[in-house]
mmCIF file of all heavy atoms in Angstrom:
data_model
loop_
_atom_site.group_PDB
_atom_site.id
_atom_site.type_symbol
_atom_site.label_atom_id
_atom_site.label_comp_id
_atom_site.label_asym_id
_atom_site.label_seq_id
_atom_site.Cartn_x
_atom_site.Cartn_y
_atom_site.Cartn_z
ATOM 1 N N GLU A 7 23.649 -3.889 -31.126
ATOM 2 C CA GLU A 7 24.297 -5.199 -31.056
ATOM 3 C C GLU A 7 23.534 -6.247 -31.846
ATOM 4 O O GLU A 7 24.136 -7.109 -32.484
ATOM 5 C CB GLU A 7 24.428 -5.645 -29.594
ATOM 6 C CG GLU A 7 25.568 -4.990 -28.836
ATOM 7 C CD GLU A 7 25.824 -5.663 -27.505
ATOM 8 O OE1 GLU A 7 25.152 -6.672 -27.197
ATOM 9 O OE2 GLU A 7 26.705 -5.195 -26.773
ATOM 10 N N ILE A 8 22.216 -6.182 -31.796
ATOM 11 C CA ILE A 8 21.396 -7.146 -32.543
ATOM 12 C C ILE A 8 21.606 -6.980 -34.037
ATOM 13 O O ILE A 8 21.605 -7.949 -34.788
ATOM 14 C CB ILE A 8 19.907 -6.976 -32.177
ATOM 15 C CG1 ILE A 8 19.674 -7.470 -30.744
ATOM 16 C CG2 ILE A 8 19.003 -7.738 -33.144
ATOM 17 C CD1 ILE A 8 18.305 -7.141 -30.194
ATOM 18 N N GLY A 9 21.802 -5.730 -34.478
ATOM 19 C CA GLY A 9 22.090 -5.494 -35.883
ATOM 20 C C GLY A 9 21.034 -4.728 -36.646
ATOM 21 O O GLY A 9 21.005 -4.766 -37.882
ATOM 22 N N PHE A 10 20.165 -4.003 -35.941
ATOM 23 C CA PHE A 10 19.150 -3.203 -36.631
ATOM 24 C C PHE A 10 19.821 -2.091 -37.432
ATOM 25 O O PHE A 10 20.773 -1.464 -36.984
ATOM 26 C CB PHE A 10 18.166 -2.607 -35.632
ATOM 27 C CG PHE A 10 17.189 -3.607 -35.072
ATOM 28 C CD1 PHE A 10 17.345 -4.107 -33.788
ATOM 29 C CD2 PHE A 10 16.129 -4.056 -35.837
ATOM 30 C CE1 PHE A 10 16.454 -5.031 -33.272
ATOM 31 C CE2 PHE A 10 15.224 -4.984 -35.346
ATOM 32 C CZ PHE A 10 15.394 -5.476 -34.049
ATOM 33 N N LYS A 11 19.284 -1.857 -38.617
ATOM 34 C CA LYS A 11 19.888 -0.897 -39.549
ATOM 35 C C LYS A 11 19.358 0.518 -39.360
ATOM 36 O O LYS A 11 19.991 1.486 -39.778
ATOM 37 C CB LYS A 11 19.638 -1.365 -40.981
ATOM 38 C CG LYS A 11 20.156 -2.781 -41.264
ATOM 39 C CD LYS A 11 19.708 -3.270 -42.622
ATOM 40 C CE LYS A 11 20.137 -4.705 -42.867
ATOM 41 N NZ LYS A 11 19.452 -5.669 -41.966
ATOM 42 N N ASN A 12 18.176 0.648 -38.787
ATOM 43 C CA ASN A 12 17.545 1.958 -38.596
ATOM 44 C C ASN A 12 16.883 1.963 -37.224
ATOM 45 O O ASN A 12 15.968 1.176 -36.974
ATOM 46 C CB ASN A 12 16.511 2.212 -39.689
ATOM 47 C CG ASN A 12 15.804 3.545 -39.523
ATOM 48 O OD1 ASN A 12 16.413 4.542 -39.152
ATOM 49 N ND2 ASN A 12 14.503 3.564 -39.787
ATOM 50 N N ILE A 13 17.346 2.831 -36.333
ATOM 51 C CA ILE A 13 16.857 2.842 -34.958
ATOM 52 C C ILE A 13 16.220 4.195 -34.659
ATOM 53 O O ILE A 13 16.826 5.245 -34.877
ATOM 54 C CB ILE A 13 18.008 2.571 -33.970
ATOM 55 C CG1 ILE A 13 18.590 1.173 -34.232
ATOM 56 C CG2 ILE A 13 17.529 2.704 -32.524
ATOM 57 C CD1 ILE A 13 19.847 0.885 -33.450
ATOM 58 N N ILE A 14 14.981 4.150 -34.172
ATOM 59 C CA ILE A 14 14.243 5.366 -33.851
ATOM 60 C C ILE A 14 13.856 5.323 -32.378
ATOM 61 O O ILE A 14 13.171 4.398 -31.928
ATOM 62 C CB ILE A 14 12.983 5.511 -34.714
ATOM 63 C CG1 ILE A 14 13.355 5.549 -36.199
ATOM 64 C CG2 ILE A 14 12.201 6.769 -34.320
ATOM 65 C CD1 ILE A 14 12.156 5.515 -37.128
ATOM 66 N N GLY A 15 14.306 6.319 -31.617
ATOM 67 C CA GLY A 15 13.933 6.442 -30.219
ATOM 68 C C GLY A 15 12.948 7.579 -30.039
ATOM 69 O O GLY A 15 13.127 8.658 -30.610
ATOM 70 N N ILE A 16 11.914 7.345 -29.249
ATOM 71 C CA ILE A 16 10.890 8.361 -28.984
ATOM 72 C C ILE A 16 10.906 8.665 -27.495
ATOM 73 O O ILE A 16 10.757 7.749 -26.673
ATOM 74 C CB ILE A 16 9.501 7.862 -29.411
ATOM 75 C CG1 ILE A 16 9.489 7.532 -30.915
ATOM 76 C CG2 ILE A 16 8.423 8.894 -29.081
ATOM 77 C CD1 ILE A 16 8.280 6.730 -31.352
ATOM 78 N N GLU A 17 11.099 9.920 -27.152
ATOM 79 C CA GLU A 17 11.250 10.276 -25.739
ATOM 80 C C GLU A 17 10.633 11.640 -25.451
ATOM 81 O O GLU A 17 10.886 12.603 -26.168
ATOM 82 C CB GLU A 17 12.732 10.280 -25.355
ATOM 83 C CG GLU A 17 13.033 10.675 -23.939
ATOM 84 C CD GLU A 17 12.304 9.818 -22.912
ATOM 85 O OE1 GLU A 17 12.534 8.591 -22.893
ATOM 86 O OE2 GLU A 17 11.502 10.391 -22.149
ATOM 87 N N LYS A 18 9.844 11.712 -24.393
ATOM 88 C CA LYS A 18 9.175 12.957 -24.002
ATOM 89 C C LYS A 18 10.073 13.845 -23.141
ATOM 90 O O LYS A 18 9.981 15.075 -23.193
ATOM 91 C CB LYS A 18 7.896 12.603 -23.239
ATOM 92 C CG LYS A 18 7.031 13.795 -22.868
ATOM 93 C CD LYS A 18 5.748 13.315 -22.211
ATOM 94 C CE LYS A 18 4.841 14.485 -21.855
ATOM 95 N NZ LYS A 18 3.565 14.028 -21.247
ATOM 96 N N ASN A 19 10.943 13.219 -22.355
ATOM 97 C CA ASN A 19 11.812 13.951 -21.432
ATOM 98 C C ASN A 19 13.002 14.537 -22.185
ATOM 99 O O ASN A 19 13.831 13.808 -22.709
ATOM 100 C CB ASN A 19 12.276 13.003 -20.318
ATOM 101 C CG ASN A 19 13.074 13.698 -19.243
ATOM 102 O OD1 ASN A 19 14.044 14.404 -19.529
ATOM 103 N ND2 ASN A 19 12.693 13.493 -17.994
ATOM 104 N N ILE A 20 13.107 15.848 -22.236
ATOM 105 C CA ILE A 20 14.139 16.504 -23.046
ATOM 106 C C ILE A 20 15.546 16.181 -22.548
ATOM 107 O O ILE A 20 16.500 16.096 -23.335
ATOM 108 C CB ILE A 20 13.920 18.035 -23.099
ATOM 109 C CG1 ILE A 20 14.892 18.690 -24.091
ATOM 110 C CG2 ILE A 20 14.019 18.640 -21.720
ATOM 111 C CD1 ILE A 20 14.773 18.213 -25.507
ATOM 112 N N ASP A 21 15.718 15.982 -21.245
ATOM 113 C CA ASP A 21 17.049 15.646 -20.711
ATOM 114 C C ASP A 21 17.524 14.301 -21.251
ATOM 115 O O ASP A 21 18.697 14.141 -21.606
ATOM 116 C CB ASP A 21 17.028 15.627 -19.187
ATOM 117 C CG ASP A 21 16.825 17.011 -18.590
ATOM 118 O OD1 ASP A 21 17.253 17.995 -19.233
ATOM 119 O OD2 ASP A 21 16.242 17.118 -17.503
ATOM 120 N N TYR A 22 16.619 13.324 -21.306
ATOM 121 C CA TYR A 22 16.984 12.019 -21.866
ATOM 122 C C TYR A 22 17.300 12.135 -23.352
ATOM 123 O O TYR A 22 18.193 11.465 -23.865
ATOM 124 C CB TYR A 22 15.856 11.012 -21.655
ATOM 125 C CG TYR A 22 15.620 10.609 -20.220
ATOM 126 C CD1 TYR A 22 14.355 10.224 -19.777
ATOM 127 C CD2 TYR A 22 16.663 10.601 -19.298
ATOM 128 C CE1 TYR A 22 14.127 9.845 -18.463
ATOM 129 C CE2 TYR A 22 16.446 10.231 -17.979
ATOM 130 C CZ TYR A 22 15.177 9.844 -17.569
ATOM 131 O OH TYR A 22 14.956 9.472 -16.265
ATOM 132 N N VAL A 23 16.558 12.979 -24.054
ATOM 133 C CA VAL A 23 16.811 13.193 -25.480
ATOM 134 C C VAL A 23 18.218 13.744 -25.692
ATOM 135 O O VAL A 23 18.989 13.240 -26.518
ATOM 136 C CB VAL A 23 15.761 14.154 -26.086
ATOM 137 C CG1 VAL A 23 16.156 14.543 -27.510
ATOM 138 C CG2 VAL A 23 14.380 13.509 -26.085
ATOM 139 N N ILE A 24 18.551 14.781 -24.938
ATOM 140 C CA ILE A 24 19.868 15.425 -25.074
ATOM 141 C C ILE A 24 20.984 14.446 -24.731
ATOM 142 O O ILE A 24 21.977 14.325 -25.461
ATOM 143 C CB ILE A 24 19.938 16.678 -24.177
ATOM 144 C CG1 ILE A 24 18.984 17.752 -24.703
ATOM 145 C CG2 ILE A 24 21.371 17.220 -24.118
ATOM 146 C CD1 ILE A 24 18.802 18.919 -23.760
ATOM 147 N N ASN A 25 20.830 13.731 -23.612
ATOM 148 C CA ASN A 25 21.868 12.790 -23.181
ATOM 149 C C ASN A 25 22.071 11.657 -24.173
ATOM 150 O O ASN A 25 23.207 11.254 -24.469
ATOM 151 C CB ASN A 25 21.519 12.215 -21.806
ATOM 152 C CG ASN A 25 21.613 13.249 -20.700
ATOM 153 O OD1 ASN A 25 22.279 14.272 -20.857
ATOM 154 N ND2 ASN A 25 20.946 13.002 -19.579
ATOM 155 N N THR A 26 20.970 11.127 -24.708
ATOM 156 C CA THR A 26 21.072 10.015 -25.655
ATOM 157 C C THR A 26 21.701 10.466 -26.966
ATOM 158 O O THR A 26 22.543 9.762 -27.534
ATOM 159 C CB THR A 26 19.683 9.401 -25.907
ATOM 160 O OG1 THR A 26 19.143 8.932 -24.662
ATOM 161 C CG2 THR A 26 19.778 8.226 -26.877
ATOM 162 N N LYS A 27 21.308 11.625 -27.451
ATOM 163 C CA LYS A 27 21.917 12.149 -28.671
ATOM 164 C C LYS A 27 23.418 12.350 -28.488
ATOM 165 O O LYS A 27 24.214 12.081 -29.404
ATOM 166 C CB LYS A 27 21.253 13.466 -29.079
ATOM 167 C CG LYS A 27 19.875 13.298 -29.695
ATOM 168 C CD LYS A 27 19.321 14.647 -30.161
ATOM 169 C CE LYS A 27 18.012 14.473 -30.896
ATOM 170 N NZ LYS A 27 17.462 15.766 -31.378
ATOM 171 N N LYS A 28 23.802 12.798 -27.312
ATOM 172 C CA LYS A 28 25.220 13.003 -27.032
ATOM 173 C C LYS A 28 25.968 11.680 -27.010
ATOM 174 O O LYS A 28 27.061 11.556 -27.569
ATOM 175 C CB LYS A 28 25.381 13.730 -25.692
ATOM 176 C CG LYS A 28 26.818 14.084 -25.356
ATOM 177 C CD LYS A 28 26.901 14.869 -24.048
ATOM 178 C CE LYS A 28 28.349 15.207 -23.708
ATOM 179 N NZ LYS A 28 28.437 15.981 -22.435
ATOM 180 N N LYS A 29 25.379 10.658 -26.361
ATOM 181 C CA LYS A 29 26.022 9.345 -26.276
ATOM 182 C C LYS A 29 26.236 8.732 -27.653
ATOM 183 O O LYS A 29 27.238 8.057 -27.901
ATOM 184 C CB LYS A 29 25.163 8.387 -25.444
ATOM 185 C CG LYS A 29 25.204 8.618 -23.962
ATOM 186 C CD LYS A 29 24.325 7.590 -23.262
ATOM 187 C CE LYS A 29 24.318 7.818 -21.768
ATOM 188 N NZ LYS A 29 23.445 6.863 -21.055
ATOM 189 N N PHE A 30 25.277 8.934 -28.552
ATOM 190 C CA PHE A 30 25.312 8.288 -29.861
ATOM 191 C C PHE A 30 25.551 9.291 -30.990
ATOM 192 O O PHE A 30 25.116 9.064 -32.119
ATOM 193 C CB PHE A 30 24.004 7.535 -30.102
ATOM 194 C CG PHE A 30 23.745 6.425 -29.122
ATOM 195 C CD1 PHE A 30 22.975 6.639 -27.994
ATOM 196 C CD2 PHE A 30 24.289 5.162 -29.324
ATOM 197 C CE1 PHE A 30 22.736 5.620 -27.084
ATOM 198 C CE2 PHE A 30 24.056 4.133 -28.425
ATOM 199 C CZ PHE A 30 23.278 4.365 -27.304
ATOM 200 N N GLN A 31 26.241 10.370 -30.707
ATOM 201 C CA GLN A 31 26.380 11.445 -31.679
ATOM 202 C C GLN A 31 27.120 11.012 -32.951
ATOM 203 O O GLN A 31 26.942 11.615 -34.012
ATOM 204 C CB GLN A 31 27.102 12.631 -31.044
ATOM 205 C CG GLN A 31 28.476 12.333 -30.507
ATOM 206 C CD GLN A 31 29.074 13.520 -29.761
ATOM 207 O OE1 GLN A 31 28.596 14.653 -29.901
ATOM 208 N NE2 GLN A 31 30.110 13.284 -28.967
ATOM 209 N N ASP A 32 27.933 9.989 -32.862
ATOM 210 C CA ASP A 32 28.676 9.528 -34.039
ATOM 211 C C ASP A 32 27.996 8.358 -34.735
ATOM 212 O O ASP A 32 28.567 7.772 -35.661
ATOM 213 C CB ASP A 32 30.099 9.115 -33.633
ATOM 214 C CG ASP A 32 30.897 10.291 -33.089
ATOM 215 O OD1 ASP A 32 30.708 11.417 -33.587
ATOM 216 O OD2 ASP A 32 31.703 10.083 -32.162
ATOM 217 N N ASN A 33 26.792 8.016 -34.290
ATOM 218 C CA ASN A 33 26.106 6.855 -34.858
ATOM 219 C C ASN A 33 25.095 7.287 -35.914
ATOM 220 O O ASN A 33 24.160 8.031 -35.630
ATOM 221 C CB ASN A 33 25.411 6.063 -33.748
ATOM 222 C CG ASN A 33 24.978 4.698 -34.219
ATOM 223 O OD1 ASN A 33 24.073 4.590 -35.023
ATOM 224 N ND2 ASN A 33 25.643 3.664 -33.730
ATOM 225 N N LYS A 34 25.271 6.794 -37.111
ATOM 226 C CA LYS A 34 24.412 7.195 -38.235
ATOM 227 C C LYS A 34 23.103 6.411 -38.298
ATOM 228 O O LYS A 34 22.231 6.718 -39.106
ATOM 229 C CB LYS A 34 25.171 7.019 -39.549
ATOM 230 C CG LYS A 34 25.574 5.581 -39.838
ATOM 231 C CD LYS A 34 26.351 5.484 -41.135
ATOM 232 C CE LYS A 34 26.754 4.032 -41.434
ATOM 233 N NZ LYS A 34 27.525 3.919 -42.684
#
């Protein structure tokens, strides 16, 4: 929403990684 052009998320918990990738799977 703020308008960042490149977003990097760092996460140790694999379940959160999988869920987040699924939520944003169409986001480049």
